[in-house]
Amino acid sequence: MIIHSSPKRSVRILILGGRGVGKTSLILSLVSEEFLEDVPPKAEEITIPAEITPELVPTNIVDYSALELSEDQLQDELHRAHVVCLVYSVIDEDSLAAITNYWIPLIRGTLPLVKMPIVLVGNKADLINYSTTDAALNIMSTYPEVESFIECSAKTLHNISEMFYYAQKAVLHPMAPIYMPEKQDLTDECKEALARIFKICDLDNNGVLDDHELNVFQCRCFESPLRPEALNDVKAILGKNIKGGLNEDDFITLKGFQFLHCLFMQRGRSHTVWAVLRKFGYTNDLHLSKDILYPCLNVPVGCSVELTHKGQQFLSNLFDKYDRDNDAALSPAELNSLLSVCPEPPWTGELRNMVCTNQQGWLNQHGWLCYWTLTTMFDVETTLEYLAYFGYLYHHDRETQLTAVQVTREKKLDLLKKQSTRNVYVCHVIGAKSAGKTELCRSHIGVTSAENGTNPHLAQAEPQYTINTVQVYGQEKFLILKDIDITNVREPLSPSDVNCDVACLVYDVSNSRSFEYIAKVYLKYFVGSHVPVMIVSNKSDLTAVSQDYICQPNLFCDNNRLPQPHDFSSRKGSQKELFIKLATMAAFPWP
């Protein structure tokens, strides 16, 4: 079932009910502020300007008349409406019975996928000395789309403006997604949203909101701190009404935080709860707004996206917040706690195959930043999405996640200036099957050949990307290695396989047919391109054999003005020199 899903910039109210219940009189009494004896069959559509409505939202009021509107026109009006006021006469039991026998089934049948909020209105209350509240409450308990109920009188103007305020409120601050009147409790979805908000506001991650954290929350949501006496009143309410709402230091727990919002609902202050939810990006269906998750970012062709210092700092602080034992790594429990504010983890597979981890395979801060640098390069939408989940907007009030990323200048300008301003470079590692590309990539994150053979997680996985930092003339740069999967030596490379900052062409010195593949790849795809190329003679710890090609690798490099092949072996310990060379070639490209 779909609920109207975002705060409306206008409200369209449709007034429905049987003949003679006073629908038109209610509208005219609101507008003229007096009761008119001579009432037309149907009022014209009325627009109330935003500045004279309680919620400061322009409001359109549409009357219904069975004499003037066909069934098709009624259905059209229902599709256009944001809320329906269902009117019955308190002196006419048949009009009340028609609410459940006819009108609500009609609305449900017309809008089967939409949960249309309804305000139940008992008109002509001036003619009775009793109330129809019990009957109305029974309807509300049976039909959850009925948001509220009010008795009023078009003749005496009693509760007329309140009726239309309730209708506005049903659209702008709907009860159904967040509160269950029959249970006097918040919905599970609302509790889940508030739990996420609580974790974001719990700046030191100690499971409570202290006075400072509560005041930061208050300022972010309502633009003013709590007065000391108001804060004491809040704590007194929690201490009196709910066990476990405060900890031993009188700080507010998650249980207490949720109870306060439930209390707001019970006191008719749904607007307060929604003010909090909307500050954190929630729409009426209690999902984060797509505008919040995916702010528009234009990345021209030839440009890339990197994290800014502000983005890196936010992610570093987030890591520190959840590293409860200060061991510079996130245990599985700590990582799960960090990701609990997200619908699902942003990655699939083992992170240890992509970034540096500690000896237990736990993510360290360096690996954490490397992961998000990699994601920002290839899937910036995911980075922006998860920054929203992590609460970036809360910690950077009035700033979007776009301040956490930056678009680099076009690559052709780097070529003209023979120097790149980027901090992240992509190297494609290309070679025939069994040339040792995967081991080379893993050595970039400190995984040795011996570990590849003994660690089942590493032995079974074939990572496409690895990322680490290297020093280029004293500056830290991120180097991403992409292992280009070659399933068929005759299969040509795609344009995306060739588009990179630097190419690493790998052959196996112990296999006489290994060099031929990368030689042909170079001649077909990289000659005349602007991509710097490094040829790597891999498995240099083994006995080198003559390559079965028209010339040997050294001569091939001389003939094509390439650097001499770089000897590499994942069994020889640290091989950082290769990765520094690759990053340097990317940082200082030659046209």
Side-chain angles (χ1 to χ4, degrees):
M1 183 162 289
I2 300 172
I3 301 169
H4 287 289
S5 61
S6 63
K8 302 293 182 184
R9 295 179 180 175
S10 64
V11 174
R12 188 174 180 85
I13 304 171
L14 177 61
I15 312 296
L16 286 184
R19 293 181 64 180
V21 296
K23 303 184 298 299
T24 305
S25 293
L26 288 169
I27 298 172
L28 297 179
S29 292
L30 173 75
V31 175
S32 63
E33 297 185 347
E34 62 178 343
F35 180 69
L36 303 178
E37 296 289 349
D38 187 15
V39 179
K42 176 180 175 292
E44 296 299 320
E45 181 175 328
I46 292 170
T47 299
I48 301 177
E51 57 270 19
I52 62 173
T53 66
E55 294 290 341
L56 300 178
V57 174
T59 301
N60 297 314
I61 302 174
V62 180
D63 194 8
Y64 164 74
S65 169
L67 297 176
E68 298 196 13
L69 288 180
S70 67
E71 186 174 329
D72 288 343
Q73 288 174 314
L74 173 58
Q75 291 182 351
D76 180 61
E77 288 295 352
L78 279 169
H79 282 285
R80 296 176 64 197
H82 299 141
V83 58
V84 169
C85 285
L86 269 185
V87 184
Y88 67 93
S89 168
V90 296
I91 61 172
D92 183 354
E93 291 185 1
D94 290 340
S95 70
L96 177 59
I99 297 294
T100 54
N101 294 337
Y102 178 75
W103 291 110
I104 293 180
L106 172 68
I107 295 170
R108 285 183 167 185
T110 304
L111 305 170
L113 299 178
V114 176
K115 190 171 184 179
M116 174 66 73
I118 295 172
V119 175
L120 189 58
V121 181
N123 191 24
K124 305 186 181 182
D126 59 295
L127 299 179
I128 60 172
N129 56 7
Y130 56 88
S131 174
T132 58
T133 299
D134 288 344
L137 291 177
N138 286 335
I139 293 174
M140 290 180 68
S141 65
T142 306
Y143 300 94
E145 61 263 55
V146 180
E147 291 269 333
S148 54
F149 158 70
I150 189 168
E151 287 184 337
C152 59
S153 169
K155 187 170 187 177
T156 65
L157 308 186
H158 175 62
N159 279 344
I160 297 298
S161 59
E162 286 81 359
M163 162 193 163
F164 290 100
Y165 169 67
Y166 283 0
Q168 278 191 326
K169 189 176 173 184
V171 177
L172 302 174
H173 317 300
M175 180 188 299
I178 61 176
Y179 188 69
M180 301 175 289
E182 69 279 8
K183 295 184 178 179
Q184 294 284 292
D185 197 8
L186 300 174
T187 63
D188 290 342
E189 293 81 5
C190 184
K191 288 180 181 178
E192 185 178 334
L194 290 173
R196 172 181 169 269
I197 291 170
F198 182 91
K199 294 201 74 167
I200 290 171
C201 298
D202 180 10
L203 303 177
D204 55 9
N205 194 32
N206 66 348
V208 294
L209 297 185
D210 61 30
D211 294 353
H212 168 70
E213 291 167 336
L214 192 61
N215 267 316
V216 172
F217 164 80
Q218 183 75 12
C219 288
R220 289 285 191 273
C221 294
F222 305 104
E223 299 186 354
S224 64
L226 279 171
R227 301 187 317 276
E229 56 269 27
L231 180 58
N232 290 334
D233 288 344
V234 168
K235 292 182 178 181
I237 290 171
L238 289 174
K240 181 179 179 180
N241 291 282
I242 182 168
K243 185 177 181 180
L246 301 170
N247 75 346
E248 60 276 7
D249 297 317
D250 267 359
F251 296 148
I252 296 177
T253 64
L254 172 59
K255 189 175 182 180
F257 186 73
Q258 291 174 332
F259 174 81
L260 286 173
H261 288 83
C262 185
L263 194 61
F264 290 144
M265 294 302 301
Q266 291 170 356
R267 294 181 177 180
R269 293 177 56 186
S270 61
H271 59 283
T272 302
V273 180
W274 275 115
V276 171
L277 292 168
R278 295 216 168 100
K279 186 64 180 181
F280 285 83
Y282 286 96
T283 58
N284 285 9
D285 58 6
L286 291 182
H287 290 108
L288 291 190
S289 161
K290 285 184 168 45
D291 292 338
I292 295 291
L293 293 176
Y294 309 112
C296 184
L297 178 67
N298 180 38
V299 184
V301 175
C303 300
S304 61
V305 189
E306 301 176 359
L307 291 170
T308 61
H309 174 73
K310 185 176 285 188
Q312 289 183 338
Q313 192 63 52
F314 172 78
L315 290 166
S316 294
N317 292 342
L318 187 69
F319 183 97
D320 291 337
K321 172 181 174 178
Y322 286 92
D323 180 17
R324 296 286 294 152
D325 53 11
N326 296 314
D327 65 347
L330 295 180
S331 68
E334 290 171 336
L335 186 57
N336 287 338
S337 180
L338 188 158
L339 296 176
S340 65
V341 296
C342 311
E344 60 186 5
W347 50 73
T348 56
E350 292 275 343
L351 278 179
R352 70 178 78 188
N353 295 334
M354 302 166 60
V355 300
C356 296
T357 60
N358 69 3
Q359 291 183 339
Q360 295 167 286
W362 296 356
L363 192 62
N364 56 32
Q365 189 175 87
H366 179 73
W368 170 251
L369 287 177
C370 281
Y371 172 79
W372 287 110
T373 299
L374 172 70
T375 303
T376 303
M377 170 64 74
F378 294 113
D379 186 9
V380 66
E381 278 202 347
T382 293
T383 296
L384 296 175
E385 177 186 358
Y386 277 81
L387 285 172
Y389 292 139
F390 293 143
Y392 185 88
L393 283 76
Y394 179 76
H395 294 280
H396 298 83
D397 196 27
R398 297 182 176 86
E399 289 185 3
T400 72
Q401 310 93 291
L402 294 180
T403 62
V405 299
Q406 61 187 358
V407 178
T408 66
R409 73 183 184 188
E410 290 187 59
K411 198 171 181 178
K412 64 182 180 182
L413 293 178
D414 292 343
L415 292 170
L416 286 174
K417 295 179 179 293
K418 301 179 182 180
Q419 182 174 350
S420 172
T421 58
R422 303 182 185 198
N423 294 308
V424 186
Y425 303 116
V426 179
C427 172
H428 285 185
V429 181
I430 303 170
K433 188 176 181 181
S434 302
K437 303 191 309 296
T438 301
E439 286 191 0
L440 184 149
C441 291
R442 285 177 175 155
S443 66
H444 184 39
I445 56 174
V447 179
T448 67
S449 179
E451 287 177 292
N452 285 338
T454 58
N455 190 323
H457 294 288
L458 299 177
Q460 294 170 10
E462 294 292 334
Q464 190 176 19
Y465 297 104
T466 54
I467 178 173
N468 205 346
T469 54
V470 296
Q471 293 289 322
V472 176
Y473 295 120
Q475 292 186 329
E476 186 176 72
K477 303 290 185 180
F478 290 89
L479 179 65
I480 299 170
L481 300 187
K482 181 178 181 181
D483 185 349
I484 303 299
D485 184 27
I486 306 298
T487 56
N488 183 347
V489 295
R490 298 183 182 276
E491 181 180 317
L493 298 179
S494 68
S496 63
D497 291 334
V498 180
N499 183 23
C500 56
D501 297 311
V502 59
C504 177
L505 306 186
V506 183
Y507 76 98
D508 176 0
V509 300
S510 66
N511 181 345
S512 62
R513 299 300 301 272
S514 185
F515 180 74
E516 178 184 14
Y517 176 78
I518 63 165
K520 290 181 177 180
V521 163
Y522 175 80
L523 294 174
K524 184 173 182 179
Y525 296 102
F526 291 101
V527 168
S529 77
H530 297 308
V531 178
V533 174
M534 169 69 74
I535 289 180
V536 174
S537 48
N538 199 17
K539 305 183 184 180
S540 61
D541 57 302
L542 302 179
T543 301
V545 299
S546 178
Q547 292 297 310
D548 188 7
Y549 187 62
I550 54 176
C551 63
Q552 295 305 297
N554 287 3
L555 183 57
F556 181 88
C557 290
D558 285 340
N559 292 342
N560 291 280
R561 298 182 180 180
L562 295 173
Q564 284 296 298
H566 182 95
D567 291 342
F568 182 88
S569 172
S570 60
R571 297 180 182 275
K572 290 183 178 179
S574 175
Q575 295 286 313
K576 289 184 179 180
E577 182 185 355
L578 169 63
F579 307 118
I580 292 172
K581 281 185 178 181
L582 291 169
T584 303
M585 292 170 71
F588 298 94
W590 288 81

